[in-house]
């Protein structure tokens, strides 16, 4: 049985907990979050501050950073003494994931996602409910593709970039690092680093 520790206890964590319940070879062992001021147990699950991880023999567990904020996910990854191969990749059973795609450690694939051939998704990404990642995409670490966003063929998404719900990115477009694409936007040209674009077609805002 694969014992899983989730780092983060908010709304995003709730969805990940549901995915774990659907995998009979996994058991939710603990949820750690600094919102919990002391350690306690409910229905066989331990709730504790994040430093609880330092009390574990981490080699006996799998981990997932269950936090929606891209910046905080990276900060938590750098903070904790957990090796990459101990971070579990979680895929909802309803997702359609090509056997020719590559999914990095710690990444979560939500319900009804489609990931097509030869796409590569980095570490600690979120591919959220109903999102479509077409063929030959490259999605770098800590990115978040929100519900029902569509990435057409050969799109590149930079590290930490957040694509909003229902947004569309046309083929062969590059999005820079740590940028934001607003909900419902249509991206028709490359987006540089650390900016926010919104609208149809998507344009930079101050």
């Amino acid at each position: 049985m694969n014992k899983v520790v989730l780092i983060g206890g908010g709304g995003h964590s709730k969805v990940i907990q549901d995915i774990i319940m659907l995998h009979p070879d996994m058991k939710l062992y603990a949820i750690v979050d600094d919102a919990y001021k002391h350690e306690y147990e409910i229905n066989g699950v331990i709730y504790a501050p994040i430093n609880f991880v330092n009390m574990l023999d981490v080699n006996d567990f799998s981990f997932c950073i269950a936090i929606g904020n891209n910046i905080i996910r990276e900060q938590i990854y750098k903070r904790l003494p957990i090796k990459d191969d101990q971070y579990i990749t979680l895929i909802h059973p309803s997702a359609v994931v090509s056997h020719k795609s590559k999914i990095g450690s710690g990444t979560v694939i939500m319900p009804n996602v489609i990931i097509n051939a030869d796409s590569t998704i980095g570490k600690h990404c979120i591919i959220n409910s109903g999102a479509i990642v077409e063929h030959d995409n490259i999605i770098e670490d800590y990115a978040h593709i929100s519900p029902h966003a569509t990435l057409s063929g050969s799109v590149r998404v930079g590290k930490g970039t957040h694509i909003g719900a229902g947004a569309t990115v046309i083929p062969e477009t590059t999005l820079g690092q740590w940028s934001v694409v607003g909900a419902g936007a249509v991206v028709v040209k490359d987006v540089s680093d650390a900016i926010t674009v919104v609208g149809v077609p998507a344009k930079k805002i101050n």
Side-chain angles (χ1 to χ4, degrees):
M1 182 67 69
N2 196 347
K3 296 183 291 185
V4 181
V5 177
L6 293 185
I7 304 157
H12 180 58
S13 176
K14 294 177 182 178
V15 184
I16 295 177
Q17 292 167 45
D18 283 348
I19 295 175
I20 292 170
M21 290 177 61
L22 294 171
H23 288 275
D25 60 335
M26 297 180 190
K27 180 185 185 301
L28 180 58
Y29 179 81
I31 301 171
V32 298
D33 192 303
D34 285 339
Y36 309 136
K37 301 306 178 186
H38 61 277
E39 180 185 335
Y40 59 95
E41 184 174 326
I42 299 176
N43 296 326
V45 178
I46 296 170
Y47 295 79
I50 291 176
N51 283 339
F52 175 77
V53 171
N54 296 322
M55 301 168 57
L56 300 173
D57 183 346
V58 294
N59 295 310
D60 293 337
F61 299 90
S62 295
F63 296 86
C64 179
I65 305 175
I67 295 171
N69 184 293
N70 299 349
I71 294 172
I72 295 176
R73 276 203 312 288
E74 184 183 39
Q75 290 173 345
I76 293 293
Y77 171 77
K78 291 179 176 179
R79 168 180 167 182
L80 294 175
I82 300 170
K83 295 179 291 187
D84 282 345
D85 60 4
Q86 292 173 269
Y87 282 105
I88 193 168
T89 299
L90 291 169
I91 300 176
H92 192 278
S94 66
V96 178
V97 180
S98 170
H99 70 279
K100 295 181 179 179
S101 63
K102 297 178 181 178
I103 314 294
S105 60
T107 286
V108 179
I109 310 297
M110 297 296 192
N112 300 312
V113 164
I114 297 174
I115 299 175
N116 278 329
D118 293 323
S119 283
T120 299
I121 298 173
K123 300 183 297 185
H124 303 288
C125 293
I126 301 169
I127 312 299
N128 224 319
S129 305
I132 297 174
V133 178
E134 267 298 343
H135 63 88
D136 297 296
N137 274 235
I138 298 174
I139 300 175
E140 297 180 4
D141 301 344
Y142 308 106
H144 181 175
I145 313 303
S146 292
H148 296 287
T150 299
L151 307 184
S152 303
S154 301
V155 169
R156 186 178 191 112
V157 178
K159 177 181 178 181
T161 284
H162 187 173
I163 297 178
T168 300
V169 183
I170 69 164
E172 300 183 359
T173 304
T174 297
L175 310 181
Q177 298 184 358
W178 302 106
S179 287
V180 176
V181 174
V186 177
V187 179
V188 298
K189 61 181 181 180
D190 292 353
V191 173
S192 57
D193 294 346
I195 66 169
T196 297
V197 297
V198 300
V200 182
K203 295 181 180 179
K204 179 182 175 181
I205 61 173
N206 293 329

